[in-house]
Amino acid sequence: MFWWILGALGAVIVLVVIYDVLQRTHTILHNFPIVGHFRYWLEAIGPELRQYIVTSNDEERPFSRDRRRWVYSSSKHENNYFGFGTDNDIERATNYLIIEHAVFPVAAPSAGEPGYDPDHGVPCAKVLGGHRGRPLAFRPSSIVNISAMSFGSLSATAIEALNRGAHLANALHNTGEGGVSPYHKRGGDLIWQLGTGYFGCRDERGRFHLDRLIETCSENPVRAIEIKLSQGAKPGKGGLLPAAKITSEISAIRGIPMGQDCKSPAHHTAFHDVDSMLDFVETLAEATGLPVGIKSAVGEMTFWRELAERMGREDRGVDFITIDGGEGGTGAAPLTFSDHVALPFRVGFTRVYKELHRAGVADRVVLIGSGKLGFPEETLLTMALGCDMINVAREAMLAIGCIQAQRCHTGHCPAGIATQSPWLMRGLDPTLKAARLANYLIALRKEVMELAQACGVEHPALVGLDHFELVSNGFETKSAAEAFGYEPGWGAIAPAIADELRAFLGQQREAA
């Protein structure tokens, strides 16, 4: 009898292993048969374990359990509500954000009523490239888009899932500096990022090659070009892709030779200061007709002051600026750079915004924020501070299956996202994960819009900074404008842009 039971148990285990490997719904189960089930069992009783033994729902970093649960639930189209009130200790918190709702909120159509949008599209208030008259200027359809994550750093299946998801949610997908891969061409519109390595538009010596840039833009769904000056994960530091990791596919996509280390220097070679950078921007825009912008983390302010000053008095300028917070980062970086280099987003962005506003150019550019902003209250505050859109990176990774294992730098990501391992990648089904990403983006836009309507306006770009307070030290509060050093009217879009936005929203409602 014992051997019969043992044999039956062994047969069951074999069947479970076969099922786990063949199923495509759960990456973890595919990559780690049998053992993967323990992760879900422990997750199910995780709140109870943390409550009595480990940590609270708000203590984990970089994303708390509450925030991860909200992303997971939203991406799976499950109930993303929380019961029994907040578990945050509001009166003891420091700089705890409070949104001041209006007594008379804006009414919104419900499902089945005229004007209801199941995709909860929230267009950008500004036209990207519109101020400078770029021939291919456009109004982004979503205020939430996918941030820069390169093929090579992320797996082929992850990039494909992100691009498919961006297409489903009508959002933009930033390629990252690794070039445009076949996995970026699954329906989603692209922001092509140019880093210091100029991958996809470089010559044999690694220098920028304009003709190759024009060719890449014409062959791919590129809607804008972003010049990366630095990023939140490791600002001011270049990168190195070892020869051992360069596959024939990566070689072809990046335009780099096999068998040699690929270096991305810390600085650009196509320009060396603000003046030459603006010449480079105008060269790209004239050659392609596309809007051209820059991305950077924020450190010393000399660059930003000169940029704002030149754009205020010259007929040259960038069409958009992406500000990355020093707390950002999706992959590998030295600990010191991750922890101590570049200002956190709210500090860095507000400093840059003030320079642009004082120079009279804040309304001439589309301002984009990046750095743990992919949650409704963070998005709304960011827009009240002056941003027109946000980019999400790690939140998007969570939506397609990331479990915050923090093994991005090892190449052994258990969720098949930040890895080039064929076995680990195979467990990530890009079609399923694309739907989950789209669900998350739509849920985020929906809740941001609901917050704006609760504040009494019809679009997040119309929410003012006077709708926010910060609570700290017991019962002490201060306005967000006071906390960030904003003067009256700062952060708000110009009245003409607000009127144009309202007219555009009216046209959308009539068309629906």
Side-chain angles (χ1 to χ4, degrees):
M1 177 63 71
F2 171 78
W3 294 109
W4 279 102
I5 295 174
L6 191 62
L9 181 60
V12 170
I13 291 175
V14 170
L15 290 174
V16 171
V17 169
I18 293 173
Y19 170 79
D20 287 348
V21 171
L22 294 180
Q23 61 83 36
R24 303 300 301 277
T25 304
H26 301 288
T27 306
I28 299 299
L29 294 184
H30 168 86
N31 293 341
F32 302 96
I34 300 295
V35 177
H37 289 278
F38 289 95
R39 181 251 174 180
Y40 295 101
W41 295 337
L42 290 172
E43 183 181 37
I45 61 172
E48 291 80 6
L49 290 175
R50 286 190 300 275
Q51 182 178 3
Y52 296 107
I53 302 174
V54 192
T55 61
S56 74
N57 286 337
D58 296 304
E59 290 180 345
E60 295 176 274
R61 294 292 182 269
F63 294 99
S64 69
R65 177 63 193 175
D66 275 350
R67 288 196 159 185
R68 296 204 314 275
R69 179 189 153 194
W70 183 81
V71 174
Y72 293 148
S73 299
S74 299
S75 69
K76 296 175 184 177
H77 227 295
E78 297 174 350
N79 184 352
N80 62 3
Y81 280 31
F82 288 70
F84 214 61
T86 181
D87 60 2
N88 297 335
D89 195 351
I90 298 175
E91 295 176 358
R92 295 179 183 273
T94 300
N95 292 331
Y96 190 90
L97 181 67
I98 297 293
I99 300 171
E100 297 180 347
H101 68 285
V103 175
F104 303 106
V106 170
S110 301
E113 296 180 349
Y116 178 77
D117 177 12
D119 291 334
H120 301 281
V122 185
C124 181
K126 297 175 184 173
V127 175
L128 191 60
H131 177 79
R132 305 200 61 77
R134 307 302 189 197
L136 297 178
F138 68 103
R139 185 190 300 275
S141 299
S142 174
I143 60 169
V144 183
N145 300 288
I146 309 302
S147 193
M149 293 177 281
S150 301
F151 169 63
S153 295
L154 265 56
S155 67
T157 49
I159 293 294
E160 181 175 345
L162 293 174
N163 192 256
R164 288 179 182 271
H167 172 64
L168 292 173
N170 205 14
L172 296 167
H173 181 194
N174 193 305
T175 64
E177 65 175 314
V180 181
S181 73
Y183 314 104
H184 285 102
K185 296 186 275 189
R186 296 295 189 269
D189 285 339
L190 302 175
I191 304 294
W192 183 17
Q193 186 182 86
L194 298 187
T196 57
Y198 306 114
F199 300 123
C201 58
R202 54 188 269 152
D203 62 18
E204 292 72 18
R205 296 166 59 184
R207 297 174 303 184
F208 174 73
H209 196 291
L210 181 60
D211 290 341
R212 291 181 180 176
L213 176 132
I214 296 172
E215 181 182 358
T216 298
C217 288
S218 64
E219 294 177 349
N220 298 286
V222 176
R223 302 297 304 275
I225 298 172
E226 179 181 82
I227 303 167
K228 190 187 86 167
L229 305 178
S230 65
Q231 65 187 71
K234 45 186 175 183
K237 181 175 176 58
L240 175 70
L241 185 63
K245 292 186 177 182
I246 300 176
T247 65
S248 58
E249 185 177 39
I250 292 176
S251 172
I253 292 168
R254 295 198 175 197
I256 57 178
M258 295 281 291
Q260 299 179 23
D261 291 343
C262 176
K263 296 181 180 179
S264 296
H267 56 84
H268 279 267
T269 56
F271 54 88
H272 59 277
D273 57 13
V274 176
D275 183 46
S276 57
M277 184 194 77
L278 289 177
D279 282 341
F280 185 64
V281 167
E282 295 299 334
T283 296
L284 301 187
E286 183 177 353
T288 64
L290 295 169
V292 181
I294 58 174
K295 173 184 179 175
S296 181
V298 179
E300 57 87 19
M301 291 299 297
T302 305
F303 165 84
W304 299 104
R305 294 190 188 99
E306 183 178 350
L307 176 63
E309 179 186 297
R310 284 183 175 275
M311 288 181 60
R313 61 181 170 83
E314 298 179 7
D315 190 28
R316 298 180 299 167
V318 296
D319 298 298
F320 64 96
I321 298 174
T322 303
I323 297 296
D324 202 7
E327 65 271 54
T330 57
L335 181 62
T336 301
F337 277 80
S338 291
D339 287 353
H340 298 288
V341 181
L343 294 169
F345 173 78
R346 291 180 182 176
V347 178
F349 175 79
T350 53
R351 289 187 184 180
V352 171
Y353 176 84
K354 292 171 187 176
E355 297 297 334
L356 296 172
H357 186 87
R358 290 174 182 134
V361 299
D363 285 317
R364 301 181 189 176
V365 294
V366 171
L367 298 173
I368 306 171
S370 177
K372 296 177 68 174
L373 306 178
F375 302 92
E377 74 286 354
E378 296 288 351
T379 299
L380 194 69
L381 175 62
T382 298
M383 297 189 70
L385 289 171
C387 268
D388 302 294
M389 300 191 294
I390 68 152
N391 287 342
V392 294
R394 285 175 291 181
E395 300 93 326
M397 292 169 69
L398 291 172
I400 64 171
C402 171
I403 61 173
Q404 197 168 280
Q406 296 180 284
R407 301 184 67 187
C408 313
H409 59 296
T410 68
H412 300 293
C413 168
I417 298 173
T419 181
Q420 296 301 312
S421 164
W423 173 256
L424 296 174
M425 289 167 49
R426 190 176 182 277
L428 194 158
D429 182 349
T431 302
L432 172 66
K433 301 302 185 180
R436 291 187 176 178
L437 173 63
N439 289 339
Y440 158 70
L441 295 174
I442 291 170
L444 176 56
R445 293 193 305 231
K446 174 178 180 290
E447 292 204 18
V448 173
M449 182 63 88
E450 289 174 343
L451 286 175
Q453 292 163 346
C455 291
V457 298
E458 56 185 329
H459 189 282
L462 303 175
V463 176
L465 205 56
D466 55 344
H467 283 282
F468 298 87
E469 282 196 55
L470 300 174
V471 178
S472 59
N473 299 323
F475 297 101
E476 295 182 7
T477 66
K478 56 184 174 182
S479 69
E482 177 188 357
F484 294 107
Y486 271 38
E487 297 179 7
W490 285 15
I493 57 176
I497 297 176
D499 291 341
E500 182 183 345
L501 174 63
R502 292 188 182 97
F504 181 78
L505 295 175
Q507 294 172 358
Q508 281 193 322
R509 286 193 294 270
E510 291 177 4

